């Protein structure tokens, strides 16, 4: 199946190619095996393979696929998907595996499961609110200067520009979780862990903003964090290697709905000096 002008809900996604065959499914029934699914447009290229099982025998239809999305212009791609002004520029790759119940080309968010790896570079979150891309609006951290007096007001109020953004995300029943999402800009590095409910449009995120002091700091932001460790251990290692950064680092918790996030400054416990023994 080839379509030169493929669209979903009025969103023009570009050229579509599907190579699929109807075969018996393990355990009975039949399923479509997708040897190749490609969507190409001026902004990105999606390549996927997987299988789709229609509803039957009391079971709901289900789609499962491995995919790679190579992105030339992330902001233009989001605009194509119905979220204009969510991001300016940005290129890179998103890859992983996903599964959901229902139609093969329209993900059902409440039943969405999967794992994603994100690697983007050279993008900027604009100053204006992003409308449909409310989660990206939260990730851009514009809520911070609106609610708090920060040392980083100049970094986020005019739109945060990043040189690199990467992380690993797991999704279970429409709830996305990460413990190593990181963005590095010229003036600051941002580290996040927590979860976002994609169906209910809520989040519970821990955000750490680290001042960018020098090239060594930038390297640390990407070298010592480990998906199996999380931010707590990372921050301890960071301050051990760069103790002067501790005073400038800020931590926040962001909860509530995407369109009205609640931002709380988290005060870090100061280190207690050791008193010499009097014995």
């Amino acid at each position: 199946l080839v379509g030169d002008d493929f669209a979903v809900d009025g969103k023009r996604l570009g050229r579509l190619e599907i190579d699929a065959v109807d075969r018996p499914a393990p355990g009975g029934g039949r399923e479509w095996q997708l040897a190749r699914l490609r969507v190409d447009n001026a902004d990105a290229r999606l390549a996927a393979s997987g299988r789709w099982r229609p509803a039957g025998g009391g079971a709901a239809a289900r789609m499962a696929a491995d995919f790679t999305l190579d992105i030339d212009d992330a902001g233009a791609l989001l605009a194509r998907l119905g979220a204009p002004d969510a991001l300016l520029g940005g290129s890179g790759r998103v890859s992983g595996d996903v599964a959901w119940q229902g139609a093969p080309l329209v993900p059902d968010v409440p039943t969405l499961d999967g794992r994603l790896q994100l690697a983007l570079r050279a993008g900027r979150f604009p100053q204006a609110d992003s409308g449909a891309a409310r989660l990206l609006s939260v990730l851009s951290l514009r809520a911070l200067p609106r609610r708090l007096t920060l040392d980083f007001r100049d970094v986020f109020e005019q739109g945060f520009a990043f040189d690199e953004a990467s992380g690993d995300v797991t999704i279970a029943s429409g709830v996305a979780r990460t413990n190593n999402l990181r963005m590095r800009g010229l003036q600051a590095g941002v580290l996040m862990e927590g979860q976002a409910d994609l169906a209910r449009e809520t989040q519970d995120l821990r955000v750490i903003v680290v001042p960018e002091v020098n090239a060594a700091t930038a390297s640390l932001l990407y070298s010592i964090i480990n998906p199996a460790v999380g931010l707590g251990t990372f921050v301890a290692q960071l301050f051990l290697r760069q103790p002067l950064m501790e005073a400038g680092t800020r931590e926040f918790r962001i909860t509530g709905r995407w369109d009205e996030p609640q931002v709380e400054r988290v005060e870090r416990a100061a280190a207690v000096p050791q008193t010499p023994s009097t014995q």
Side-chain angles (χ1 to χ4, degrees):
L1 174 67
V2 177
D4 287 329
D5 191 4
F6 172 57
V8 175
D9 293 335
K11 302 176 181 66
R12 300 179 67 176
L13 303 182
R15 179 181 174 85
L16 170 70
E17 297 182 24
I18 297 178
D19 183 0
V21 61
D22 181 17
R23 293 180 175 174
R30 303 189 69 83
E31 68 180 13
W32 284 94
Q33 302 232 348
L34 301 175
R36 183 175 76 252
L37 186 154
R38 290 187 60 88
V39 179
D40 294 274
N41 55 55
D43 309 316
R45 295 162 303 283
L46 173 69
S49 62
R51 60 189 182 277
W52 177 63
R53 184 165 185 171
R62 185 167 180 82
M63 174 69 182
D66 300 321
F67 77 94
T68 299
L69 178 64
D70 288 307
I71 303 171
D72 296 325
D73 189 329
L77 177 62
L78 288 170
R80 186 184 293 270
L81 295 174
D85 302 322
L87 185 67
L88 298 177
S91 61
R93 170 175 287 188
V94 180
S95 60
D97 58 84
V98 290
W100 64 85
Q101 293 182 6
L105 297 178
V106 184
D108 179 61
V109 172
T111 63
L112 184 64
D113 300 320
R115 297 175 299 170
L116 309 177
Q117 296 81 46
L118 167 70
L120 294 177
R121 56 189 176 274
R124 183 169 71 86
F125 294 102
Q127 182 180 6
D129 286 336
S130 55
R134 287 184 292 274
L135 178 57
L136 282 178
S137 179
V138 171
L139 297 184
S140 72
L141 303 182
R142 287 191 299 274
L144 299 189
R146 283 206 303 268
R147 290 162 173 78
L148 300 168
T149 301
L150 300 176
D151 299 344
F152 302 101
R153 177 182 294 273
D154 59 329
V155 177
F156 300 110
E157 193 167 47
Q158 299 304 317
F160 180 57
F162 61 86
D163 297 320
E164 296 177 271
S166 67
D168 301 282
V169 179
T170 60
I171 306 174
S173 299
V175 178
R177 295 178 174 85
T178 182
N179 67 353
N180 71 337
L181 184 64
R182 55 212 174 202
M183 297 183 290
R184 182 177 66 82
L186 181 63
Q187 298 167 291
V190 179
L191 308 168
M192 292 187 187
E193 68 177 4
Q195 67 180 44
D197 190 317
L198 305 180
R200 294 182 174 86
E201 298 189 351
T202 61
Q203 77 275 306
D204 186 349
L205 299 171
R206 179 188 183 190
V207 179
I208 295 176
V209 183
V210 182
E212 281 285 354
V213 177
N214 51 38
T217 301
S219 177
L220 282 174
L221 288 174
Y222 273 73
S223 63
I224 65 176
I225 192 169
N226 186 308
V229 172
L231 293 190
T233 299
F234 167 78
V235 171
Q237 294 180 27
L238 181 67
F239 293 158
L240 181 65
R241 299 191 188 190
Q242 298 278 348
L244 295 179
M245 296 184 58
E246 185 167 6
T249 297
R250 299 290 182 264
E251 181 175 340
F252 306 93
R253 186 182 181 195
I254 303 178
T255 57
R257 292 188 54 82
W258 296 354
D259 56 0
E260 189 60 34
Q262 305 300 309
V263 180
E264 176 186 1
R265 168 82 176 270
V266 177
E267 297 293 339
R268 296 182 49 80
V272 179
Q274 297 294 321
T275 56
S277 173
T278 58
Q279 295 182 356

